[in-house]
Each structure stands twice: as structure tokens, then as C-alpha cells.
Amino acid sequence: MKVQVNEGVLAYMEADAVPEAQGSTNPMGPDGPQSRNSVVICQTVGQSIFTSSVSSAAGRVGFLLQKDEGKEASCPVLFIQLNELFSTPDGLQWKQTARWIKFEEKVEDGGERWSKPHITALSLHSLFELRTCIKKGTVLLDLDAHSLKQIVEKVIATQMDAHVLRPEVRKKLTSVLLRTPQHHTTKSQLRIVAELGAACCRDKARKRSDPGTEISEAPLKEQLKNQFQKKIPAEAEVSNILVGEVDFLEKPFIAFIRLQEAVGLGALTEVAFPSRFLFILLGPRAKVKAYHEIGRAVATVLTDELFQRVACQAQDREDLIAGIDEFLDELTVLPPGKWDPTIRISPPKCLPSPHKRISIHRREWKSHCNGNVSAADDRHTHGHQPVSEELQRTGRLFGGLVKDIRRKVPWYWSDFYEALNIQCFSATVYIYLATVTNAITFGGMLGDATDNMQGVLESFLGTAIAGAVFCLFAGQPLTILSSTGPVLVFERLLFSFSKDYSLDYLEFRLWIGLWVAFFGLILVATEASYLVQYFTRFTEEGFCALISFIFIYDAVKKMLSLADNFPINWDYKINDVTLYGCICNSSGTGNASMLTEMLLPPLGSAGMQQGLEAANWSLLTRTECLRVGGHLVGNSCNYMPDITFMAFILFLGTFLCSMTLKSFKTSRYFPTALRKLVSDFSIILAILIFCGIDAILGLETPKLIVPSEFKPTNSQRGWVVFPFGLNPWWVCLVSTVPAVLVIILIFMDQQITAVILNRKEYRLQKGAGFHLDLFCVSLLMILTSVTGLPWYVSATVISLAHMDSLKKESTTSAPGDQPKFLGIREQRLTGLVVFILTGVSVFLAPVLKYIPMPVLYGVFLYMGVAALNSIQLMDRIQLLLMPAKHQPDFMYLRHVPLRRVHLFTLIQMLCLAALWILKSTVAAIIFPVMLLALVGIRKAMECIFSQQDLSWLDDIMPEKDRKEEEEKLQSSQEEESDSEDSEFMYQEKGPEINISVN
């Protein structure tokens, strides 16, 4: 739609622009015959073609925001309530009809419930009327008053001094404004049920109550017990809007008041918070609908963060009008007849940052004052993220390590007492079970690959020692150390090489580990971790996807192997049920004496005389039959009817239950606190539910087996590996070759995981420790190599699960607004307790043996899928299968052609496939080199893609946080690194208001 105006209006706009620019007064006066709409149009177009680049309204707003710069906390959250005056059989009475924090809630027509939060839909005429009210009404800024009675008296006195109000209506007006309002307070479910029985009495009492009672200056009991207060921040303030019609006024009584100090106004407000703003509109009868719409317009304008700051800093009436004009400047109008105004628009899941709008206004004002209006117009490209402080080189040996230690020491004690939260208990149990499962899984695979030179017990012991030491001294204690798939591949190849060339595996491995530790310390000393800045999203997502697929693949592979151990009788026929059976038969070489001991009653019993006649082979169990040398005969001897299917039910049930309960906090059912508690304990609840189902059914599903004795898995080895004696002397030199491959693998694995965990999206406050983490891992390589324990490095998937289980969200959120992500509970205690429990799990075998392995494999599957869902690669893979009209509105799709997005995705998929093939074949020895090659491939892609495309497709910041990026940057940084999407949203504010003026 276009802005359609007639020639007369255009002529007036042009004529009006000149005196406004020169600072003169309109010769026709504010009450002249000109069209009010044309004035509003002229002033609300911030970038008018008939005026300078910055209008007077924008100039005022920019000046006020510039004064407010550096006082981000000076404008608290506003709770806004609308009270309307109704005529009842007992007289006039104020009733609350709506409220706002960010979105509107109405009292439904029945008067017993609040509506769902929704975006306010206003008529444009109501905003014009509001502007006129502010222009012609009484405006009192920084009024010194401490009660509603004082406010009303001063407002009436001001209007009487200005001869706007007749003296004879003073008493009536005061009486009306000081009447006690009726609020619709939010009550708990239990309170509502308790009041149902007393409904009749309550109705009678309400009928007997006098609506003309003067308002109480102290908060009422129902205000103090209002459950809605929990959703409002403690430092919030109230804005009261009073509108209605009376029969003793001939023209509207209008007042906008800003109090000098926020004060409590007793029973006026629904919640017991101090009030800052008041807007009063009382007028003649027959215009109640207009008063209602103007009241909603005031409330909506006050919910705007930009206008709130203008209202807090305004010095006079013109500043408020300028704020309304800027509000109109950013307004988007829906055309009539193209939508249903009765439909309530649901709040969006993500809102643009208000700080961005404010910073744009400040920058435009600075640019205008400096004569450099186009400064903000030249930055259209999305810049690359600056290098973080943790990765800046010092140029000194171990300089980065020293900086990491200095950065982490002040936070060390808080890393323990900040863990005193129930969420940390949930995270501890969850990660403990995941770590134990991982230790058993990789321990078993290591045992198979190394002839039990490293088995389950070594895996438990190494995980406990290495993990606990790392959590105590690392720079990022939220990292979980574990054996990983790439390290397991190298261990298998190393054992095969040692066996083929008659070398002692543990001694050869010791020298490799010592060289790896030496190379790692060199990397720490030379601050090689600064190379992490070249690990872009392309590299991170490739590695993270690989590890996630390994988790998913191992979980599914373990479950499919159950079909071999517990075969399914696919040839079962219900008609042949009488033919199925299995008995124990003598092989002719069986141990008759043992058989007799099993089957004969105890000596001296009544059945002793039966002797060997009781020794019937058919009475033996399967285990007893095999022990005495018998063999099983029958076509159902290898048939275990329910184990495999039950295991898959436990496996998939645990996975689906974990996914469902994790997302339960966004459900519509039950109170917020309960939903959050269920979400925090989702994994534990899923495990308990399906462990209970398994126990009730009593099937012999495979259970968790924990070593019960503290001794090496292979009796031929000890707890200390000596460097000399079993291998030739030159092995210590040759070990440098595989050590180079291992240090590449360790460095890439450790640092890619560290980069993922230290993303800005997690809002970590205590900083990273890339150098310190690598230093700890290098020292632990010495310890685990000398003791013959597995090598440990950061486990990407389990570490991401650990971070996800420790996310903090705001406890107070406006109705309709999503809880804000506040960061991660950064502490050392959860990881430390997890690894201590892993170490003592040997003594918990009697309890852990009741946990079915399929349940833990379901947790593995959940962690792998959850990690995959956190990367942009999966979103882009889904785009390959979607028609364009059904594709989500991702920000990079607005700036990069779809075919370029698909090409980028296909290259990533090919690299991921290459990594998987290398890992699974004899070429796995070059797997570390291929990881390093990902960085080179990403660099080569600059020949295919433009920098603009890569800046959107290959950015460390996730898509959902790009819009909030500017909240974290200082105003000085915004001038250099604004993101294009935010700049595009608020830059060059043209006339978006589509108005037709006839």
C-alpha cells in the first residue's frame, strides 16, 4: 500500500516543515483549521523527503537517550494496569479490565479469568487521540506526592489554576477518583477450590459492599497474596491508567503524571509495587468506547522500551509527544478487511533486542551532531566475530597459561558454593549414569581391542582419577573427560601393530604417551591454542556431528547385538506349541556324583531312601545341566521369548520419555515450578520409570555389570608400566611418529570441544581456559600412560549434556514472554562428584546391577540426538528435503542464495562421510590428519563462496542468538561490529505507516 494524500495536505506538510526546521512557531496555532492527521503524518515520518535527515521528534528522542546513556538500569520494568469506571446499581465503581507487562491480558467478559497474553491490536485513530490528549491535557513531570489523594488534589488544583476545570465539579471529581477499585487478582488453584463453597456468601457480601468507599492508602490483603507478583521482577514499578465517563463533565479531564519518586498508592494497584506513572482520562458520556481505546493506547505505548526511556527522561510535554511520534514512526499498520481484529495474535517466541533500537537512535543522534549522517549507512556487511581475550597471544613462554590461571583463581571458591542448588543434584545423577555407561561401553570395547590389557575396571579407575583431577584444576571444569571414539580407534591400531611386530603393547604405549605429553606442553608453552580461532562452525559442526553419530551408532549397534545373545524365534507357530520343549540330556560323560548332590535331599531327610532314582536329568535347570556335563535337547532351547523385544521397549521408551520430559517445561499443563522441576530431572525420571517397569515384569534383561574386585582385568599386567625391559631401546625414539598423530588428535578433540563449550551463546561469566585445559590433559597423559589406564580427552557429547543440564533461566517472566536464558551454573562440584562416584561404583555393584543396559543405551541415544539438534548442520540438511515455501525463516536464508546454502551443506556432509569412512577402515591411522584438514578445506572454500556467504553460513554464534548479540556488546563496539540483520531492521526508517488521507 502507498501513502495517499491530496495536494492540500502535501502543501501543508511542506509549509510546516520550514518553520519547524527554523525553530519558529506554527503561525496558524495549535488549534487552527489544519488537518490534525496531516500534522501527525509530517511529524511521524522520521526520514521525510521534505525535511532534513533527522526530524525534530527524532532529534529530541536522540538527545534524551544520549542523556540516559550509561544508565541502563535507570528504567525498571513497568507493570501497567487499566482501570475503567463503570456505572453499577450502587453507583460508580472502578474495575480493572486489562494489564500489561509486555503483552496485553484482558479480563474476559465473564469477569472470572484473565485472557491469554496477546499482542495489542490498536486503531490508528486511538494513537492520534492519545497524541492530542498529551498535547492538550495536563502534564506533570516529577510531581512530589506520596499518596493518590495528594496526586488528585494537585492535578485538580493545576487545572483550576489554568481555568480548565469548573470549581463546582471539584468535589465530585475528587470523590470519583478516590473510589476503591475492584481488581481481578490471580489466585492459586487451591484457593479457588476453597472459595467455591462460599460463592453465595461472597456474592452477598459483594452486593453489600459500598463502591463509594474511599481508597485505602495501605495495600490490601489480596494484593499481598496475589500470585501474579511472582511473574514480576522485584524492582518493577506500576503505571496506572484510569479512564471512564461521568455526567458532570462537559469536556475531558486529562492528566499525565510522572512522580518524582515511585510510591505505593495503596489499593489502587493490583500488585503491591510502587507507582511511577498515572494517566487519567474522564469525559462526558456517550464516548466510553473511545476512552477505552485511548487507555489501551497509553498502556501499549508505555510497554515500548524506547518510549519508557523517553518518558523517564522527558523534561516537558514536547518530549512526550516526540516519543509518541517515534513510536508511530516504527509502527506497522495492518490494512482493514485483510485480517480479523477479533483474533488475538500470540506473542512471538523471540523478540528483537530493545537495546539495539536504543543504540541506533543514539548513534544517529551522534552522527547528526557530528555531521556524519551516513556513518551508520556504510556498514551493511555482517562482520566476523573478534578474537576473544582467552585466545590473544602474549608473546611469552607459558604466557597464555599464566593468564588462564590468573583469570580462574578469583572464581575458584565460588566454583564450589555456587553448586548448592537442586539443579546441580539432577545434573550430577544424570552425568554420573552417562559416565558409568560410557566407561563400561568403551571399557568393554577396549578390552576386546587390547586383549583385556585395558578393560572395564581400568576404564572406571582412569575415568575417576583423570576426571577428578581435571575438575579440580582445569580452566573449564564443566568439561567431562572420557574415552572417545577416535582414541579407541587409535588404541586398536596400536595394539594390532604391537602384536604383529612382537612389541609389548603397554610399554610402547607408555613412550607414545610421554611424547604426547611433551608435545602438549610445547603447545601450551608456545600458546598454540590461539589457533583455535581458525576452528569455525564448519569444523566444529563436522566434529560434533561425527561424535554424535558415534554415540547413536554404538547405542543402536549394542541393541542389535541383543538379537544374537537373546535370539528371537521367527519360526514360531501357534499351532505347533505342543511340539516346543527343551530338556537336559546326559552326554555319557556327565559327573554323576555332582548330579546326585544336586538332586538328592539333604542327608537324614525323609526322602533319602529314594537314592539315585531322584537323579532325573530332566529336573535340572539350564545352568545346572551345563555344569554337570549334560546338553540341552529341543527346538526351543535357544529361544528366549521376550528379552529382545522388551529390551527394545526399554531402549526406545527411555529415549522418547527423556525427550518428552525435557520439553515438558514448555507444556501447557501444571504450574511453572513443577514443569521446570520435571524438565530438570527428565533423564533421571525416565531411567527410574523404565527401571521400575523392568523390575515389575521381572524379565531377565541384560543388566549393568560393574567390576566387583579391584585388580587388573588381565592378570599378566600390573598397575605400573615400566619404560624399559620388554621392547628394544629404539622404540622410545620410534614412538615419536605415532605420538605426532596422537597429539594432533588430542589437540583437535580437546580444543574443538572447548570452543563449542565456550561459545558466547552460553553466556559464561568466568571465562575459558584453553591453555590450562590442554596443560591438564597433557599431564594426565603421563599419569594414565604410566599406570596403563586409558587416555582421556574432552567428551563432546557428554560435556554438551552436562552444560545443557545446568542451564539457568529467569524465574520471573512476563505473561506470554519466554523465560530468558541467563547462562550456565559454572562450578566444579558436579563434575567432581560424578567422577568420585564413578570411582566408588565398584562398591555400588549390588545396587547398580538392577539397572538394565537397554535403559542406559537409551540415554546414549538421547545424548547423541540432543547434540545433533544443537548444530546448524541438521537444520540445513532438513532444508534439502523441504519445498521453499515450507522452509523456516532462518536469517542466513535471507542473505545467501538457497543453492549456495545447499552446496555448503553438501560439502559438510561429504567431509563428515570421509571422517566416518576413515574411522571405520584400515586408513584410520590418518584420521587425526583428516581432522586437521577440515581447517584447510574451510580455507579453500573461500575460493568457492564469497565472504558475505561464509559470514552467514559459517559463524560461531548460533542463529537464535545472532539477534541478541548486540545486548552483550558495549555501545562503542556496536559502532564497529553491528550485525546486518539488526541494522537492516532499524536502519533508514522510512514511512511504514500506510495511511490514506482524503
Side-chain angles (χ1 to χ4, degrees):
M1 289 173 35
K2 297 181 179 179
V3 179
Q4 300 178 2
V5 294
N6 57 31
E7 295 180 0
V9 174
L10 282 174
Y12 176 76
M13 291 171 63
E14 185 176 5
D16 183 70
V18 176
E20 182 180 0
Q22 295 175 351
S24 61
T25 306
N26 180 11
M28 300 182 68
D31 299 323
Q34 73 274 17
S35 169
R36 179 187 62 215
N37 287 358
S38 63
V39 177
V40 175
I41 294 172
C42 176
Q43 293 183 343
T44 56
V45 177
Q47 302 289 342
S48 173
I49 62 175
F50 301 106
T51 63
S52 60
S53 58
V54 179
S55 66
S56 60
R60 280 183 175 270
V61 171
F63 177 72
L64 292 175
L65 294 178
Q66 188 65 28
K67 290 172 56 179
D68 192 40
E69 189 171 11
K71 302 177 182 178
E72 299 298 326
S74 62
C75 196
V77 174
L78 284 182
F79 169 74
I80 306 161
Q81 71 173 38
L82 173 62
N83 291 348
E84 296 188 52
L85 190 62
F86 290 89
S87 179
T88 65
D90 296 324
L92 297 175
Q93 184 175 20
W94 292 102
K95 292 184 180 181
Q96 183 182 8
T97 59
R99 65 187 181 191
W100 290 257
I101 297 181
K102 285 189 176 181
F103 305 102
E104 181 179 9
E105 292 179 275
K106 295 180 179 179
V107 178
E108 301 288 18
D109 292 339
E112 293 295 331
R113 66 185 292 269
W114 286 102
S115 70
K116 290 181 59 178
H118 55 276
I119 298 174
T120 304
L122 296 173
S123 65
L124 195 59
H125 183 267
S126 66
L127 290 169
F128 293 157
E129 290 286 279
L130 170 61
R131 188 179 187 278
T132 304
C133 289
I134 298 297
K135 188 173 184 179
K136 295 185 177 182
T138 300
V139 176
L140 299 178
L141 302 177
D142 294 331
L143 179 65
D144 186 13
H146 303 284
S147 66
L148 181 61
K149 188 173 183 179
Q150 292 183 14
I151 296 173
V152 170
E153 290 175 350
K154 291 185 177 183
V155 172
I156 293 177
T158 301
Q159 292 212 5
M160 292 187 65
D161 292 343
H163 304 289
V164 177
L165 191 66
R166 292 182 290 113
E168 56 268 22
V169 301
R170 176 173 185 169
K171 186 175 180 180
K172 293 181 179 179
L173 190 58
T174 303
S175 176
V176 169
L177 291 175
L178 294 182
R179 289 173 181 261
T180 302
Q182 177 184 329
H183 299 298
H184 184 69
T185 56
T186 304
K187 304 173 184 178
S188 65
Q189 298 293 331
L190 293 177
R191 186 178 174 187
I192 292 176
V193 173
E195 290 180 352
L196 286 177
C200 296
C201 297
R202 186 180 70 244
D203 290 340
K204 293 179 181 179
R206 184 177 297 171
K207 290 179 181 179
R208 291 194 300 265
S209 63
D210 183 10
T213 305
E214 186 169 322
I215 192 169
S216 171
E217 294 187 3
L220 301 179
K221 183 178 180 181
E222 63 179 10
Q223 292 176 271
L224 300 175
K225 291 186 176 181
N226 193 347
Q227 298 291 322
F228 188 71
Q229 292 188 155
K230 297 179 180 179
K231 295 182 176 292
I232 307 175
E235 67 278 2
E237 296 176 352
V238 180
S239 296
N240 299 280
I241 302 170
L242 306 173
V243 299
E245 59 178 10
V246 291
D247 55 4
F248 54 82
L249 289 177
E250 297 178 355
K251 58 181 180 179
F253 174 84
I254 306 168
F256 181 90
I257 304 104
R258 184 184 71 201
L259 298 178
Q260 185 176 5
E261 297 291 338
V263 296
L265 297 182
L268 178 63
T269 60
E270 177 194 352
V271 291
F273 285 94
S275 295
R276 173 70 67 175
F277 296 99
L278 284 92
F279 179 81
I280 303 173
L281 171 59
L282 290 177
R285 290 189 179 275
K287 295 185 178 181
V288 63
K289 179 64 176 177
Y291 303 148
H292 170 75
E293 290 300 321
I294 293 174
R296 294 179 65 242
V298 177
T300 306
V301 171
L302 282 171
T303 60
D304 182 61
E305 292 85 353
L306 182 61
F307 183 81
Q308 285 180 18
R309 292 182 180 274
V310 172
C312 289
Q313 295 293 321
Q315 301 297 318
D316 52 30
R317 184 193 313 269
E318 296 303 321
D319 289 342
L320 293 175
I321 294 176
I324 296 176
D325 290 345
E326 281 300 296
F327 180 86
L328 288 167
D329 194 13
E330 297 184 20
L331 195 66
T332 300
V333 176
L334 295 173
K338 301 299 186 293
W339 73 296
D340 186 358
T342 62
I343 295 176
R344 293 172 178 172
I345 305 175
S346 299
K349 293 184 178 180
C350 183
L351 293 173
S353 169
H355 300 281
K356 178 60 185 176
R357 295 173 56 206
I358 295 170
S359 65
I360 290 294
H361 278 280
R362 287 173 179 164
R363 186 165 58 250
E364 288 179 351
W365 172 249
K366 289 180 180 178
S367 301
H368 178 66
C369 294
N370 296 333
N372 185 19
V373 180
S374 63
D377 301 341
D378 296 331
R379 298 184 304 274
H380 290 285
T381 58
H382 177 72
H384 189 72
Q385 300 300 320
V387 180
S388 62
E389 178 189 358
E390 295 90 345
L391 297 177
Q392 293 178 355
R393 301 191 68 180
T394 65
R396 302 186 301 272
L397 285 178
F398 295 101
L401 177 63
V402 173
K403 285 181 62 178
D404 283 352
I405 294 175
R406 289 176 176 174
R407 185 184 306 111
K408 303 302 291 188
V409 165
W411 300 101
Y412 193 79
W413 293 115
S414 67
D415 286 342
F416 291 94
Y417 65 73
E418 288 183 2
L420 302 178
N421 186 279
I422 191 171
Q423 187 181 20
C424 293
F425 170 75
S426 167
T428 299
V429 178
Y430 168 35
I431 300 303
Y432 163 68
L433 293 174
T435 303
V436 167
T437 307
N438 192 64
I440 292 174
T441 302
F442 281 97
M445 290 188 290
L446 269 174
D448 296 338
T450 62
D451 197 15
N452 284 329
M453 286 296 178
Q454 297 179 76
V456 176
L457 182 64
E458 287 80 6
S459 181
F460 268 79
L461 184 61
T463 300
I465 295 175
V469 172
F470 188 86
C471 285
L472 281 174
F473 302 107
Q476 183 48 271
L478 296 175
T479 304
I480 300 296
L481 292 192
S482 175
S483 295
T484 61
V487 175
L488 175 62
V489 170
F490 188 85
E491 294 274 19
R492 181 184 293 113
L493 294 174
L494 180 62
F495 182 81
S496 299
F497 181 86
S498 301
K499 189 175 182 180
D500 293 341
Y501 291 92
S502 301
L503 298 175
D504 184 76
Y505 162 68
L506 291 180
E507 185 178 315
F508 189 19
R509 181 177 177 276
L510 168 63
W511 280 108
I512 294 175
L514 295 177
W515 280 112
V516 169
F518 175 72
F519 292 148
L521 294 177
I522 291 178
L523 293 177
V524 174
T526 56
E527 300 179 298
S529 293
Y530 87 98
L531 297 173
V532 166
Q533 60 184 301
Y534 296 103
F535 296 168
T536 62
R537 176 183 285 177
F538 178 86
T539 306
E540 294 174 32
E541 290 186 341
F543 183 78
C544 184
L546 175 68
I547 302 301
S548 300
F549 279 124
I550 289 176
F551 265 69
I552 296 172
Y553 174 79
D554 286 340
V556 175
K557 181 180 178 182
K558 286 288 185 180
M559 290 303 302
L560 293 177
S561 66
L562 292 179
D564 298 330
N565 299 328
F566 304 97
I568 302 171
N569 188 0
W570 297 106
D571 298 325
Y572 177 81
K573 297 180 181 179
I574 189 65
N575 191 47
D576 297 338
V577 65
T578 57
L579 304 179
Y580 295 137
C582 181
I583 62 173
C584 180
N585 195 11
S586 173
S587 60
T589 59
N591 191 330
S593 60
M594 183 179 296
L595 175 65
T596 301
E597 289 180 6
M598 287 184 181
L599 297 179
L600 277 180
L603 188 62
S605 67
M608 181 177 178
Q609 291 81 6
Q610 297 182 10
L612 293 177
E613 294 179 1
N616 189 341
W617 287 85
S618 63
L619 300 179
L620 296 178
T621 64
R622 178 179 181 276
T623 304
E624 293 171 345
C625 178
L626 297 177
R627 190 167 63 185
V628 299
H631 64 277
L632 301 174
V633 178
N635 53 7
S636 64
C637 291
N638 293 324
Y639 171 49
M640 300 179 185
D642 302 309
I643 303 300
T644 300
F645 286 129
M646 186 62 199
F648 272 95
I649 290 175
L650 297 176
F651 171 67
L652 296 175
T654 303
F655 166 70
L656 295 176
C657 186
S658 300
M659 295 287 288
T660 303
L661 294 180
K662 191 65 179 178
S663 60
F664 188 68
K665 63 182 176 182
T666 60
S667 170
R668 298 175 182 266
Y669 304 101
F670 302 105
T672 304
L674 179 60
R675 296 201 308 266
K676 186 176 184 303
L677 187 66
V678 170
S679 178
D680 289 341
F681 285 83
S682 56
I683 311 301
I684 301 173
L685 290 175
I687 293 173
L688 292 177
I689 289 172
F690 285 92
C691 285
I693 292 175
D694 178 77
I696 292 173
L697 297 179
L699 296 177
E700 296 181 0
T701 52
K703 301 296 192 293
L704 179 63
I705 300 176
V706 181
S708 56
E709 296 181 349
F710 189 77
K711 64 179 182 180
T713 307
N714 191 317
S715 58
Q716 297 180 2
R717 58 154 292 180
W719 287 117
V720 177
V721 180
F722 296 96
F724 299 104
L726 298 178
N727 288 336
W729 64 270
W730 46 264
V731 170
C732 64
L733 302 178
V734 175
S735 301
T736 56
V737 178
V740 171
L741 297 176
V742 176
I743 191 58
I744 295 175
L745 176 62
I746 295 295
F747 181 82
M748 295 291 293
D749 202 339
Q750 173 65 37
Q751 300 296 50
I752 290 178
T753 303
V755 168
I756 295 174
L757 296 184
N758 289 285
R759 283 175 176 170
K760 289 184 178 180
E761 70 189 80
Y762 291 120
R763 301 186 182 182
L764 300 180
Q765 302 297 319
K766 301 181 180 180
F770 294 97
H771 309 281
L772 182 56
D773 289 347
L774 185 59
F775 179 75
C776 291
V777 170
S778 300
L779 294 183
L780 288 173
M781 286 292 294
I782 300 175
L783 177 62
T784 54
S785 299
V786 171
T787 55
L789 300 177
W791 289 330
Y792 293 96
V793 73
S794 296
T796 308
V797 172
I798 300 182
S799 298
L800 283 173
H802 190 206
M803 297 277 281
D804 185 66
S805 64
L806 292 171
K807 286 183 177 180
K808 296 187 296 183
E809 292 181 339
S810 58
T811 56
T812 59
S813 58
D817 194 16
Q818 299 293 329
K820 292 183 179 179
F821 172 66
L822 302 179
I824 305 294
R825 296 192 186 277
E826 301 176 63
Q827 36 73 45
R828 299 177 183 270
L829 199 57
T830 54
L832 183 62
V833 174
V834 162
F835 291 115
I836 292 176
L837 289 176
T838 303
V840 302
S841 294
V842 175
F843 307 103
L844 299 177
V847 177
L848 298 177
K849 68 180 182 181
Y850 293 105
I851 302 178
M853 287 302 296
V855 170
L856 299 181
Y857 293 147
V859 175
F860 256 46
L861 179 63
Y862 167 78
M863 289 192 296
V865 172
L868 278 181
N869 290 336
S870 67
I871 60 178
Q872 188 198 82
L873 172 62
M874 300 310 298
D875 294 333
R876 287 187 274 105
I877 290 177
Q878 294 176 35
L879 291 178
L880 293 171
L881 308 176
M882 289 184 188
K885 64 179 180 180
H886 296 302
Q887 292 174 353
D889 186 22
F890 293 129
M891 195 61 64
Y892 53 83
L893 291 180
R894 301 183 184 182
H895 300 270
V896 184
L898 186 59
R899 64 181 184 277
R900 310 293 289 175
V901 175
H902 290 339
L903 178 59
F904 187 88
T905 305
L906 290 174
I907 294 176
Q908 265 191 302
M909 293 173 63
L910 289 175
C911 291
L912 179 60
L915 288 174
W916 185 271
I917 293 172
L918 284 176
K919 179 193 76 69
S920 307
T921 61
V922 293
I925 191 67
I926 64 171
F927 178 80
V929 179
M930 184 58 189
L931 277 180
L932 191 61
L934 287 178
V935 180
I937 294 174
R938 164 61 180 83
K939 185 66 176 177
M941 289 172 64
E942 295 180 0
C943 300
I944 305 175
F945 297 89
S946 67
Q947 289 295 330
Q948 173 72 8
D949 293 346
L950 290 176
S951 66
W952 285 102
L953 294 174
D954 192 20
D955 192 356
I956 293 177
M957 295 293 293
E959 172 61 37
K960 63 181 180 181
D961 291 283
R962 191 192 306 277
K963 298 176 183 177
E964 299 178 4
E965 178 183 354
E966 299 303 325
E967 290 186 40
K968 309 174 189 178
L969 300 178
Q970 300 297 327
S971 299
S972 59
Q973 294 175 327
E974 289 177 347
E975 198 164 351
E976 300 177 358
S977 60
D978 291 331
S979 60
E980 182 179 342
D981 57 310
S982 296
E983 193 74 19
F984 176 79
M985 188 179 301
Y986 297 111
Q987 193 177 7
E988 287 293 329
K989 294 181 291 186
E992 292 185 14
I993 304 178
N994 302 314
I995 311 170
S996 177
V997 182
N998 297 318

